[in-house]
Amino acid sequence: MSQVVHPPESVYNLIPREEVQTQKTSRYVSKYRPIVVHERKSVKDDMRTMGPAKVEVPSPDKYLKKHSKEPKLPEKTECTKKARSAGTPQPTYVDTSKGHKQLLENSGLVPKYIKKKHYGEVPDYLQQRNEEERQAQEEYDNFVREQRERGAMNHLSDEKRQVILQTLKKNWDQLHREYQGLSFVMDNMSKRSHKDRLEVAMKKLENDIKLFERFKTIYISNN
């Protein structure tokens, strides 16, 4: 609906108009406001923005001098000079292609074992093993001596030992050549049993070869 606009000079303007007063709603105020205001005033620092009331006036003799606020280094003494000359760089090593460095002292590359207390001494387990071998050899020598005294054993000469050793190696080479010629596929019982027999025979020859190579003095029975 359009509002009727009256010209300034109108009869309607002579009629007194009633003033319409609009009532404003009251603003919301929390009931805890007085408590908050009181706590705020109680913890507020005094002279927070203006500073203390009285400040000591600087003396005219204590004016700011040049370089007075720069940090001062400690004076050099004999101890500091010796410490500086003795500060040699520690040896390092590079462990990557990008130049990463590690201290060489604790890397495990420096032979520190020569500085150990028991360096150069035979370990206890080696002494025990040597003692066991000595006792076993002594028992074997006593047994051989008794058998020789009874005439039940004869000493094998070095020439015969070499001949027997070469014969054992030749037999092993023949079995190994035959073993290499076996079929790759073991599809029946006869092939598998033949392969097992060759392996057993080669293993026995290997033990005999080790025996003749290890012991230079060998006794054989007369029976």
Side-chain angles (χ1 to χ4, degrees), residues 101-143:
K101 295 183 179 180
Q102 294 283 353
L103 292 178
L104 186 62
E105 184 69 18
N106 300 324
S107 63
L109 302 176
V110 181
K112 291 186 175 181
Y113 55 87
I114 59 176
K115 301 179 181 179
K116 290 185 177 181
K117 181 179 180 181
H118 302 289
Y119 174 73
E121 298 181 1
V122 180
D124 295 337
Y125 73 94
L126 288 180
Q127 295 180 4
Q128 182 179 359
R129 188 174 67 181
N130 294 336
E131 181 64 22
E132 292 176 355
E133 291 182 356
R134 187 189 65 79
Q135 293 179 0
Q137 184 66 33
E138 185 178 355
E139 293 177 357
Y140 174 75
D141 294 340
N142 294 334
F143 173 77

Side-chain angles (χ1 to χ4, degrees), residues 102 107 137 202 207 212 220:
Q102 294 283 353
S107 63
Q137 184 66 33
M202 291 172 61
N207 295 333
F212 276 83
I220 58 176

